[in-house]
């Protein structure tokens, strides 16, 4: 039982247990001793479902990574491939199986497709002549993985690209399926709200799937009151902005999105040389007490929180002087492990915070942030920005440039042709012409496009929804805008308004945002209607289609714990993203040098 | 879109045909380049009247297709394969266009020596047509082309060889081309090398298949031109014979580098070459329409790295309308100072540029940062700030020239200090 998953209203352990049960059943199906060959990408998500101990209980003796050639020798009866349904992986498996069959005593082979089987992949295996070599081919439907007590993710890295660039809505189908699974475990969700094209599709699919199961009625008392489906492209601005919460800054861009993140800590040495310390792998989630406290804070407030904690811990250690009786000493000693753990956790986070401070107080960080905030407040978004020009001239990392120019474009509802051409040319000349594909992609999804009408709706949206709060209080926030030191994420603001006073009050603004908005109701079997107690909170599941950032998660958590908020939020998404990983997914040839 | 050099058109334009062998009427055919390609196809090397002015006339081949269209080029290819030549040979005028490399050879001079050209001047009256044979297709006999290759090889000019190879690859049928290469060892070596580098072409072909807007098409074309140039430069520079390559050996190949990086490389290793050579900064600048700002920034970086302060100086010299030389910079002089300082420029050099900074506050802070004492002293004098001057005196070496200067100023009764 994972402790961190049962905090909060919704016990996501149920989901996890269901997933574990399925895994156990499959493992038992392949009777006898086994070795698992892993698609590397799956090790992260699986780690959240089951530890090695569970696998061992079901006779898993060895684990290998999927690669070409032969499966390493191991004295087991079965070899099970845990893979995503991707064609290139099928080729590697075929290679493995063919060389396995050449052995004097070949082991039995099985495949577990995660999250779904694919006809195309099985076809490929057939072409390679190995399809019949497998004893069991199954699918392990792992759509929504619980990352924390209030966070679920599909970890579908290509969802945004597929939906918005390639017009491929397969991931939406999986989303709908995932939501059906969720409803099977947690009850039918009576109200569905949505904004965006993809949201509409998902809702339609859900309703249709529900009709297909018309016979069986779900008798579980519904845990969720509302489902809110949001397209990522309703709010393209938020993922582009530099995130300022501790959680994000404490890890190295990409690594942040994995749950057990590694962070390589670099401290600039005297001669400008980097002294990388050992990359630490910390399993960080709300189970670590201190981390849970500071993760969602704006970084500027972390220092104060850490020093407060330090005082508490020292005071606790001082208690030993007060312990006089044997009973009291015994009591103190029993507390020691906990206190020591707290102290080492504090030491870890303090050193991390110091490194972050070096970055956030640097001129380049500050300059970057300033330009971002200028764009967000609508300053000079129609001109060529000199800071961006200078950064290109200095050959700063391409992703940084792309994020800034996209931000300017989004805040201006498209750039003037002259400005756009200028940026494009500078980028191509400085970073290489091959990036023209990327620039095209960015235009297609609406991130970097020419101005089509002279009307820029962004200032209106900003004013009506109060997206820019001048006096954001980072230490003691009273509004979600603290996560970006002044900017309230549009997506979260929409969520907030939906709860109170409702979307009717912002009809005009909603029309300015892309895609339809809608409301659906699902029939609950009689007798299951929840009677809400006085002062009891509603529970809303917010599903971000195309990715969600940690800053938005922090903002939603802030709303959840607001005194008279009235609603608690569970967050789900196709992928946990940050600005870098998100823009990267739209780049063509990301393996080429982009830095 | 105009190109500075007609020769460049030739190299580029003939390529365009090569990529559009299907009948889809894609954006490329609409490019002006096609038109230019057509106009430049008219070759006449014996007399010097260049056919620059043909753009306005629509030329039509005997089969009725407009010359330069895809269907026309397809037909031409098909017919010329039998006759051993292809549709167009780039126009060469007598001005040498390839890097001289001290060899004194240019393609045109090779041409004069070795070929007969059949050029249907479809527009000009038949009387001016210098050919004996019926004006059917534009043919350069394959044997003439090979003669060209041999001449290039004997010139030992890598650039020229590669250039000819590029042309031959496009204009000869594969079988003949390979056949002839087999018996020409040096040329073969060059070609293999060229092929290796050209792996990138696959991507380019893919790029060209995508539906691009007019502007993007220009970028893709630039990409192609850039790659071509890089191959030529790489072929020569790899040998590394010039002094500069020995002093500052190259760390990597120039292939596939972005244009600005290529420009930097050119400013580093080929500075001062005439605009006629492919490797000169001036040529790159004009071919790729690099902005003045970008050019100066890049050239500054390269020359500063080499500590050629004189070159750096000339970058900023302009003549004003009275004929006096004046210093001007499209980037702020504070930027110039920064870049120079990063390259360890001595104070004497730095101070020249610090003194050109307009903004007084910035000027003062940078002068102090880089210890340009004279400037600081003068500024405090102009500001009539005695206190600061005294404070600053503490920072300069006792008894030094600056120290005495400050003393002098402080003692000067005529200055009306404000504090």
């Amino acid at each position: 039982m994972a402790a961190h998953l049962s905090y909060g209203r919704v016990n996501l352990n149920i989901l996890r247990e269901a997933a574990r049960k399925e895994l156990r059943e499959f493992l038992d199906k392949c009777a006898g001793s086994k070795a698992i060959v892993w698609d590397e990408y799956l090790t992260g998500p699986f780690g959240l479902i089951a530890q090695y101990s569970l696998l061992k209980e079901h006779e898993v003796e060895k684990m290998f990574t999927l690669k070409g050639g032969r499966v390493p020798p191991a004295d087991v009866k079965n070899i099970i491939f845990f893979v995503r349904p991707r064609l290139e992986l099928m080729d590697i498996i075929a290679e493995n199986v063919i060389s396995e069959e050449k052995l004097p005593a070949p082991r039995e082979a099985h495949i577990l497709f995660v999250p779904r089987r694919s006809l195309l992949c099985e076809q490929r295996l057939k072409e390679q002549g190995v399809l019949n070599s497998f004893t069991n081919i199954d699918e392990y439907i792992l759509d929504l993985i619980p990352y924390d007590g209030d966070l679920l993710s599909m970890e579908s890295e290509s969802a945004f690209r597929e939906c918005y660039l390639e017009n491929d809505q397969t991931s939406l189908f999986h989303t709908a399926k995932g939501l059906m699974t969720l409803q099977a475990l947690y009850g039918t969700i009576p109200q569905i709200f949505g904004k965006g094209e993809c949201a509409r599709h998902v809702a339609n699919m859900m309703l249709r799937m529900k009709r297909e199961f018309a016979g069986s009625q779900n008798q579980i008392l519904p845990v969720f009151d509302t489902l809110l489906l949001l397209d990522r492209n309703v709010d393209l601005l938020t993922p582009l902005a530099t995130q300022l919460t501790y959680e994000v800054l404490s890890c190295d861009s990409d690594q942040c999105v994995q749950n057990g993140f590694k962070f390589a800590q670099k401290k600039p040495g005297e001669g400008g040389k980097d002294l990388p310390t050992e990359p630490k792998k910390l399993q960080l989630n709300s189970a670590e007490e201190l981390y849970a406290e500071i993760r969602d804070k704006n970084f500027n407030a972390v220092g104060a929180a850490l020093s407060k904690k330090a005082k508490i811990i020292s005071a606790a250690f001082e208690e030993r002087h007060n312990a006089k009786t044997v009973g009291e000493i015994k009591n103190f000693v029993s507390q020691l492990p906990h206190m020591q753990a707290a102290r080492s956790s504090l030491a870890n986070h303090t050193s991390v915070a110091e490194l972050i401070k070096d970055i956030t107080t640097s001129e380049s960080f500050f300059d970057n942030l300033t330009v971002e905030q200028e764009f967000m407040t609508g300053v000079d978004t129609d001109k060529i920005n000199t800071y961006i020009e200078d950064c290109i001239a200095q050959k700063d990392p391409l992703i940084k440039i792309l994020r800034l120019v996209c931000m300017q474009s989004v805040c201006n509802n498209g750039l003037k042709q002259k400005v756009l051409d200028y940026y494009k040319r500078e980028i191509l000349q400085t970073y290489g012409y091959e990036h023209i594909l990327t620039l095209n992609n960015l235009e297609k999804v609406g991130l970097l496009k020419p101005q089509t009408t002279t009307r820029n709706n962004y200032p209106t949206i900003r004013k009506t929804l109060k997206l820019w709060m001048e006096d954001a209080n980072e230490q003691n926030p009273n509004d979600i805008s603290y996560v970006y030191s002044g900017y309230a994420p549009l997506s979260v603001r929409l969520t907030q308004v939906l709860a109170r006073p409702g979307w009717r009050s912002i009809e005009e603004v909603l029309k300015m945002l892309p895609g339809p908005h809608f409301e659906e109701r699902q029939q609950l079997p009689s007798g299951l209607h929840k009677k809400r107690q006085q002062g009891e909170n509603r529970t809303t599941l917010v599903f971000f289609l195309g990715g969600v950032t940690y800053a938005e998660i922090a903002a939603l958590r802030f709303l959840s714990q607001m005194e008279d908020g009235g609603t608690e939020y569970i967050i789900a998404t196709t992928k946990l993203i940050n600005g870098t990983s998100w823009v990267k997914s739209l780049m063509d040839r990301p393996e080429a040098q982009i830095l | 879109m105009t190109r500075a050099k007609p020769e460049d058109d030739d190299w580029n334009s003939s390529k365009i045909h090569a990529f559009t062998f299907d009948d889809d009427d894609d954006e490329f055919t609409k490019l002006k380049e096609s038109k230019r390609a057509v106009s430049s196809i008219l070759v006449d090397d014996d007399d010097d009247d260049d056919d620059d002015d043909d753009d306005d006339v629509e030329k039509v081949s005997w089969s009725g297709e407009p010359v330069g269209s895809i269907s026309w080029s397809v037909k031409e290819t098909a017919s010329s394969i039998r006759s051993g030549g292809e549709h167009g040979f780039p126009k060469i005028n007598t001005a040498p266009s390839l890097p001289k490399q001290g060899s004194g050879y240019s393609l045109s001079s090779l041409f004069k020596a070795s070929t007969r050209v059949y050029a249907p001047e479809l527009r000009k009256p038949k009387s001016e047509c210098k050919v004996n044979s019926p004006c059917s297709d534009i043919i350069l006999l394959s044997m003439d082309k090979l003669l060209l290759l041999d001449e290039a090889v004997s010139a030992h000019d890598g650039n020229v060889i590669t250039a000819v190879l590029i042309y031959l690859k496009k204009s000869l049928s594969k079988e003949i081309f390979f056949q002839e290469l087999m018996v020409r060892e040096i040329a073969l070596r060059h070609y293999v090398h060229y092929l290796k580098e050209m792996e990138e072409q696959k991507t380019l072909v893919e790029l060209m298949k995508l539906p691009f807007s007019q502007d993007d098409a220009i970028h893709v074309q630039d990409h192609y031109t850039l790659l071509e140039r890089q191959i030529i430069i790489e072929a020569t520079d790899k040998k590394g014979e010039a002094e500069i390559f020995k002093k500052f050996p190259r760390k990597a190949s120039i292939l596939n580098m972005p244009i600005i990086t290529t420009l930097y490389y050119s400013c580093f290793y080929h500075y001062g070459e005439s605009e006629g050579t492919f490797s000169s900064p001036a040529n790159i600048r004009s071919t790729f329409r690099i902005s003045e700002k970008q050019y100066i920034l890049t050239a500054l970086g390269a020359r500063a790295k080499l500590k050629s302060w004189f070159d750096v100086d000339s970058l900023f010299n302009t003549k004003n309308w009275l004929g006096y030389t004046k210093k001007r910079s499209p980037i702020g002089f504070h930027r110039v100072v920064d870049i120079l300082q990063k390259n360890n420029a001595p104070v004497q050099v730095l101070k020249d540029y610090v003194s050109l900074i307009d903004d007084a506050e910035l000027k003062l802070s940078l002068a102090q940062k880089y210890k340009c004492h004279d400037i600081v002293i003068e500024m405090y004098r102009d500001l009539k700030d005695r206190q600061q001057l005294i404070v600053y005196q503490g920072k300069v070496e006792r008894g030094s020239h600056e120290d005495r200067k400050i003393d002098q100023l402080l003692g000067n009764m005529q200055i009306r200090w404000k504090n």
Side-chain angles (χ1 to χ4, degrees):
Chain A
M1 165 118 147
H4 61 287
L5 292 184
S6 35
Y7 289 165
R9 263 188 118 60
V10 180
N11 187 358
L12 290 181
N13 255 310
I14 299 175
L15 185 61
R16 188 167 179 266
E17 279 308 314
R20 288 161 73 95
K21 180 159 161 266
E22 279 226 24
L23 182 59
R24 284 197 185 97
E25 279 173 9
F26 178 76
L27 289 173
D28 290 339
K29 216 167 152 189
C30 316
S33 58
K34 17 184 121 58
I36 301 184
V37 181
W38 287 96
D39 172 354
E40 254 189 325
Y41 185 79
L42 293 176
T43 51
F46 261 87
L48 295 169
I49 303 292
Q51 307 298 61
Y52 183 50
S53 47
L54 177 137
L55 300 172
K56 233 167 134 183
E57 281 171 26
H58 294 267
E59 299 178 277
V60 175
E61 289 174 24
K62 283 269 164 66
M63 306 222 277
F64 305 114
T65 320
L66 180 68
K67 42 179 177 250
R70 282 184 42 198
V71 178
D75 188 18
V76 289
K77 187 161 164 270
N78 302 287
I79 300 188
I80 313 182
F81 294 94
F82 277 31
V83 287
R84 290 166 292 162
R86 292 172 79 105
L87 289 177
E88 64 268 19
L89 300 179
M90 297 304 109
D91 291 335
I92 302 178
I93 292 180
E95 221 182 295
N96 283 177
V97 168
I98 290 172
S99 33
E100 183 72 17
E101 296 192 328
K102 294 205 182 98
L103 292 179
R107 299 161 280 194
E108 259 182 68
H110 316 264
I111 302 187
L112 188 63
F113 283 109
V114 185
R116 289 203 157 67
R117 289 172 86 132
S118 140
L119 214 62
L120 216 57
C121 286
E122 290 175 45
Q123 189 68 23
R124 176 67 140 236
L125 291 172
K126 194 165 175 197
E127 283 167 21
Q128 301 269 22
V130 295
L131 188 60
N132 295 323
S133 317
F134 295 101
T135 315
N136 284 314
I137 299 182
D138 247 325
E139 59 184 10
Y140 184 65
I141 301 173
L142 189 66
D143 282 320
L144 285 167
I145 305 162
Y147 270 75
D148 216 323
D150 57 356
L151 182 59
L152 297 154
S153 170
M154 292 169 66
E155 285 307 284
S156 161
E157 71 220 329
S158 47
F160 181 77
R161 193 194 161 102
E162 280 170 18
C163 292
Y164 296 100
L165 188 63
E166 296 163 5
N167 281 321
D168 169 3
Q169 290 168 339
T170 320
S171 50
L172 297 181
F173 173 75
H174 293 168
T175 305
K177 278 275 181 174
L179 283 166
M180 297 308 286
T181 309
L182 217 55
Q183 288 186 106
L185 293 171
Y186 296 97
T188 309
I189 306 174
Q191 237 185 356
I192 303 178
F193 287 92
K195 173 76 183 147
E197 286 288 345
C198 298
R200 181 77 262 182
H201 283 298
V202 171
N204 289 343
M205 280 193 272
M206 281 175 72
L207 296 172
R208 198 178 62 231
M209 287 174 191
K210 190 99 201 320
R211 279 197 294 275
E212 286 166 14
F213 290 109
S216 57
Q217 285 278 37
N218 190 335
Q219 293 297 333
I220 301 176
L221 195 64
V223 170
F224 296 106
D225 297 292
T226 316
L227 166 64
L228 170 58
L229 296 159
L230 282 175
D231 274 35
R232 183 71 263 172
N233 76 343
V234 167
D235 176 7
L236 290 172
L237 178 57
T238 304
L240 294 170
T242 302
Q243 297 183 69
L244 301 171
T245 53
Y246 178 74
E247 174 153 28
V248 182
L249 290 173
S250 62
C251 38
D252 206 14
S253 60
D254 288 294
Q255 320 301 23
C256 189
V257 293
Q258 293 295 327
N259 182 271
F261 35 70
K262 308 191 247 286
F263 39 109
Q265 297 158 328
K266 283 209 209 139
K267 206 176 169 103
E270 283 303 295
K273 278 200 287 246
D274 282 339
L275 302 167
T277 60
E278 273 288 302
K280 289 184 183 196
K281 193 162 192 211
L282 298 174
Q283 182 81 246
L284 290 172
N285 50 45
S286 51
E288 218 229 41
E289 203 186 307
L290 176 58
Y291 186 65
E293 270 180 53
I294 57 175
R295 70 196 297 196
D296 293 324
K297 283 190 184 302
N298 184 301
F299 181 67
N300 285 333
V302 166
L306 287 177
S307 62
K308 200 167 107 184
K309 191 75 175 183
K311 290 203 182 85
I312 295 173
I313 293 180
S314 327
F317 271 97
E318 289 303 302
E319 276 298 297
R320 72 177 185 280
H321 298 304
N322 296 342
K324 301 269 170 26
T325 70
V326 171
E328 282 174 354
I329 294 177
K330 200 165 166 201
N331 196 21
F332 179 79
V333 168
S334 67
Q335 299 277 15
L336 260 181
H338 174 81
M339 285 157 55
Q340 279 167 337
R343 190 162 61 172
S344 87
S345 151
L346 178 68
N348 272 341
H349 288 292
T350 308
S351 52
V352 171
E354 270 167 27
L355 291 170
I356 297 175
K357 201 165 175 76
D358 282 340
I359 300 172
T360 56
T361 46
S362 72
E363 209 177 299
S364 64
F365 187 85
F366 182 76
D367 287 341
N368 196 61
L369 206 57
T370 308
V371 169
E372 283 184 12
Q373 296 199 336
E374 277 175 7
F375 288 156
M376 290 197 270
T377 46
V379 172
D380 284 343
T381 51
D382 55 350
K383 304 192 183 70
I384 295 170
N385 183 285
T386 37
Y387 176 73
I388 297 179
E389 255 192 305
D390 289 347
C391 289
I392 298 178
Q394 282 161 202
K395 242 188 152 175
D396 276 353
L398 179 58
I399 296 259
K400 173 181 174 180
I401 308 294
L402 291 178
R403 280 171 74 168
L404 285 170
V405 298
C406 287
M407 220 178 169
Q408 186 177 354
S409 172
V410 170
C411 292
N412 200 50
N413 201 26
L415 294 173
K416 280 210 188 96
Q417 194 64 50
K418 209 176 66 151
V419 176
L420 180 61
D421 285 342
Y422 181 82
Y423 282 146
K424 268 173 131 170
R425 225 187 70 179
E426 292 287 297
I427 290 172
L428 292 174
Q429 286 190 338
T430 312
Y431 298 96
Y433 290 106
E434 63 266 24
H435 296 293
I436 200 170
L437 292 172
T438 303
L439 294 177
N440 260 7
N441 290 349
L442 292 174
E443 179 167 347
K444 262 204 196 145
V445 300
L447 277 169
L448 180 63
K449 58 177 193 181
Q451 229 173 9
T452 39
T453 64
T454 45
R455 199 198 155 91
N456 179 11
N457 285 324
Y458 180 68
T460 315
I461 299 172
R462 188 178 69 232
K463 288 195 190 90
T464 318
L465 294 177
K466 295 202 182 58
L467 297 183
W468 181 259
M469 304 290 277
E470 197 59 60
D471 45 6
N473 186 335
E474 294 151 354
Q475 308 286 344
N476 293 309
N478 57 358
D479 179 73
I480 56 172
S481 52
Y482 85 88
V483 293
Y484 285 107
S485 292
Y487 166 70
L490 170 60
S491 53
V492 181
R493 191 62 102 203
L494 288 176
T495 314
Q496 188 178 17
V497 172
L498 177 66
R500 246 187 236 157
W503 275 358
R504 289 258 164 76
S505 56
I506 52 166
E507 277 285 335
E508 279 308 305
V509 173
L510 280 178
K511 289 210 186 87
M512 293 180 194
L513 296 168
H517 62 275
F518 58 88
E519 180 185 340
E520 296 285 351
R521 288 192 184 265
Q522 299 200 95
Q523 278 279 29
L524 290 178
S526 51
L528 284 186
H529 289 276
K530 235 161 105 165
K531 288 189 186 59
R532 193 159 297 107
Q533 305 293 353
Q534 185 72 296
E536 199 188 316
N537 285 342
R538 300 170 61 93
T539 307
T540 299
L541 174 64
V542 187
F543 206 118
F544 289 83
L545 300 163
V548 74
T549 59
Y550 277 94
E552 287 162 309
I553 296 172
L556 284 168
R557 284 180 177 149
F558 174 79
L559 289 178
S560 294
Q561 51 80 48
M562 258 168 71
E563 280 290 313
D564 48 355
T567 312
E568 271 187 42
Y569 295 100
I570 304 290
I571 304 137
T573 181
T574 49
K575 179 94 174 76
L576 295 163
I577 59 171
N578 56 49
T580 303
S581 69
W582 189 50
V583 172
K584 246 194 196 162
S585 74
L586 293 168
M587 292 181 78
D588 272 326
R589 287 182 60 174
E591 68 277 4
Q593 53 168 135
I594 51 169
L595 295 172
Chain B
M1 187 186 80
T2 52
R3 294 270 185 169
K5 291 269 164 253
E7 289 72 41
D8 294 351
D9 300 346
D10 313 328
W11 292 119
N12 299 333
S13 52
S14 55
K15 308 302 174 287
I16 292 176
H17 293 309
F19 281 115
T20 56
F21 271 36
D22 52 19
D23 278 322
D24 300 335
D25 197 34
D26 74 13
E27 313 276 324
F28 273 104
T29 61
K30 301 190 181 77
L31 282 181
K32 270 206 201 140
E33 286 305 291
S34 310
K35 273 184 109 186
R36 193 145 291 146
V38 171
S39 60
S40 60
I41 278 168
L42 309 170
V43 183
D44 187 8
D45 73 321
D46 282 342
D47 64 75
D48 290 349
D49 71 278
D50 296 333
D51 302 303
D52 278 343
D53 44 349
D54 343 47
D55 267 358
D56 42 351
V57 177
E58 159 104 15
K59 295 180 204 58
V60 177
S61 77
W62 298 110
S63 49
E65 264 101 33
V67 169
S69 73
I70 302 160
S71 40
W72 173 82
S73 68
V74 171
K75 285 201 167 71
E76 289 299 290
T77 318
S79 64
S80 65
I81 280 176
R82 273 172 276 123
S83 50
E86 240 177 57
H87 51 80
F89 189 75
K91 170 176 110 172
I92 300 289
N93 68 23
T94 49
S97 61
L98 292 172
K100 287 202 187 117
Q101 304 281 334
S103 68
Y105 277 95
S106 65
L107 262 189
S108 57
S109 59
L110 287 175
F111 241 72
K112 280 196 167 106
S114 61
T115 67
R116 301 184 302 280
V117 176
Y118 300 83
E121 306 222 287
L122 301 167
R123 183 184 57 114
K124 291 193 180 159
K126 285 235 172 106
S127 55
E128 289 190 38
C129 197
K130 290 188 195 305
V131 300
N132 309 338
S133 76
C135 292
S136 51
D137 302 312
I138 305 165
I139 302 172
L140 188 58
L141 291 182
S142 55
M143 62 180 168
D144 293 336
K145 289 177 183 168
L146 294 168
L147 216 49
L148 190 62
L149 179 59
D150 288 336
E151 289 278 3
V153 169
S154 59
H156 297 295
D157 192 326
N159 271 355
V160 177
I161 300 174
T162 314
V164 174
L165 283 170
I166 293 174
Y167 161 63
L168 287 184
K169 179 169 181 265
K170 297 275 173 312
S171 62
L172 277 182
S173 75
K174 233 181 174 175
E175 303 85 64
I176 299 182
F177 184 35
F178 285 143
Q179 218 178 301
E180 296 300 328
L181 266 189
M182 289 302 147
V183 299
R184 289 169 171 79
E185 198 193 302
I186 300 174
L188 180 61
R189 249 189 294 131
H190 265 91
Y191 183 64
V192 168
H193 177 86
Y194 162 93
L195 271 184
K196 280 198 200 138
E197 325 290 18
M198 285 308 262
E199 263 177 27
E200 279 309 301
Q201 282 247 333
K202 288 186 209 136
T203 326
L204 212 45
V205 173
E206 263 180 63
L207 280 179
M208 298 215 172
K209 291 209 183 107
L210 294 174
F212 275 117
S213 70
Q214 184 75 348
D215 308 307
D216 288 351
I218 295 173
H219 289 305
V220 175
Q221 196 174 340
D222 278 348
H223 190 181
Y224 185 85
T225 315
L226 179 62
L227 277 177
E228 263 196 329
R229 294 294 168 83
Q230 287 173 336
I231 290 169
I232 294 175
I233 296 174
E234 182 70 11
T236 343
D237 285 1
K238 215 161 178 173
K239 294 183 239 150
E241 279 158 5
E243 257 304 305
I244 185 149
F245 291 107
K246 301 205 166 70
K247 261 207 277 186
F248 297 95
R250 304 178 337 144
K251 294 201 193 100
S253 142
I254 190 64
L255 294 169
N256 298 319
M257 292 290 142
I259 180 66
I260 295 296
T261 312
T262 310
L263 179 62
Y264 182 91
Y265 174 97
S266 163
C267 289
F268 197 89
Y269 290 111
H270 296 280
Y271 203 64
E273 283 176 19
S274 89
E275 200 168 339
T277 68
F278 280 140
S279 48
S280 71
N283 188 306
I284 294 179
R285 177 186 186 173
S286 61
T287 309
F288 297 100
R289 307 171 308 285
I290 295 178
S291 71
E292 192 193 5
K293 205 167 166 180
Q294 278 283 34
Y295 179 78
I296 290 197
L297 257 175
T298 314
L300 173 62
R303 298 327 286 169
K305 189 100 193 247
L306 287 166
K307 304 205 190 308
S308 319
W309 312 124
F310 182 75
D311 285 333
V312 169
D313 190 76
S314 5
L315 275 176
F316 301 106
N317 287 340
T318 54
K319 281 201 155 38
N320 71 3
W321 62 281
L322 284 172
Y324 293 119
T325 313
K326 199 170 107 81
K327 283 229 174 343
R328 194 184 79 84
S329 167
I331 58 178
F333 276 110
H334 61 282
R335 294 276 303 277
V336 178
V337 172
D338 264 335
I339 295 173
L340 288 173
Q341 191 268 339
K342 282 202 179 87
N343 284 290
N344 302 316
V347 182
Q348 297 93 294
V349 174
L350 284 178
K351 76 170 172 49
D352 283 338
Y353 297 96
V354 174
S355 62
L356 292 165
I357 299 176
D358 281 325
D359 181 280
E361 217 177 286
L362 195 50
K363 185 172 171 181
L364 189 58
S365 75
L366 283 180
Q368 290 184 318
K369 190 170 169 190
Y370 299 128
K371 304 207 185 332
C372 306
H373 302 304
D374 285 330
I375 298 179
V376 180
I377 296 171
E378 275 159 32
M379 289 197 79
Y380 282 141
R381 179 202 64 200
D382 292 338
L383 290 167
K384 302 203 192 329
D385 194 334
R386 202 163 78 102
Q387 294 294 358
Q388 286 289 18
L389 204 50
I390 294 174
V391 167
Y392 199 72
Q393 191 172 32
K395 296 194 187 138
V396 304
E397 214 186 296
R398 297 220 42 204
S400 67
H401 157 83
E402 290 86 18
D403 192 31
R404 277 176 276 133
K405 192 166 175 184
I406 297 179
D407 274 337
Q408 229 179 7
L409 284 172
L410 289 173
N412 190 332
M413 288 301 132
Q414 297 191 320
I415 303 181
R416 305 172 80 125
W417 302 104
K418 67 177 187 193
N419 56 16

